[in-house]
């Protein structure tokens, strides 16, 4: 969310919730894959890197405190008693 392009482990949470293909970061499992992702970022055109970083930042906003509060409130509101 700080403008860095994420390079995350290709497993559960990162794969399912954080990195969506190469649109907003890179997934890797082996040392070679992590190294290749780093090199790819280092040689990448700045506009492309900023595009990926922006997509990562927008996607990370889903996990903000405000977003969590809104989703949580929407989920539990049907369970709460209504004011007369």
């Amino acid at each position: 969310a700080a403008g860095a392009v994420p390079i995350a482990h290709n497993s559960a949470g990162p794969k399912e919730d954080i990195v969506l293909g190469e649109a907003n970061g890179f997934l890797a499992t082996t040392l070679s894959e992590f190294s290749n992702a780093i090199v790819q970022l280092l040689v990448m055109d700045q506009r492309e890197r900023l595009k990926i970083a922006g997509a990562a930042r927008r996607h990370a906003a889903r996990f903000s405190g405000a977003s969590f509060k809104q989703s949580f409130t929407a989920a539990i509101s049907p369970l709460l008693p209504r004011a007369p």
Side-chain angles (χ1 to χ4, degrees), residues 61-82:
R62 291 182 29 204
F63 303 100
S64 71
S67 179
F68 174 80
K69 180 181 177 184
Q70 181 180 11
S71 297
F72 183 74
T73 302
I76 66 165
S77 66
L79 306 173
L80 299 175
R82 305 239 183 249

Side-chain angles (χ1 to χ4, degrees), residues 15-63:
K15 186 177 183 176
E16 294 174 16
D17 295 325
I18 299 172
V19 178
L20 310 172
E22 290 187 5
N24 69 337
F26 297 92
L27 293 169
T29 304
T30 65
L31 180 60
S32 177
E33 290 172 345
F34 278 100
S35 299
N36 288 337
I38 292 169
V39 169
Q40 197 171 344
L41 277 173
L42 291 174
V43 299
M44 183 179 286
D45 176 73
Q46 182 179 2
R47 284 180 292 183
E48 182 66 17
R49 184 184 54 77
L50 291 173
K51 179 180 164 187
I52 294 171
R57 185 180 303 113
R58 287 186 299 278
H59 184 69
R62 291 182 29 204
F63 303 100

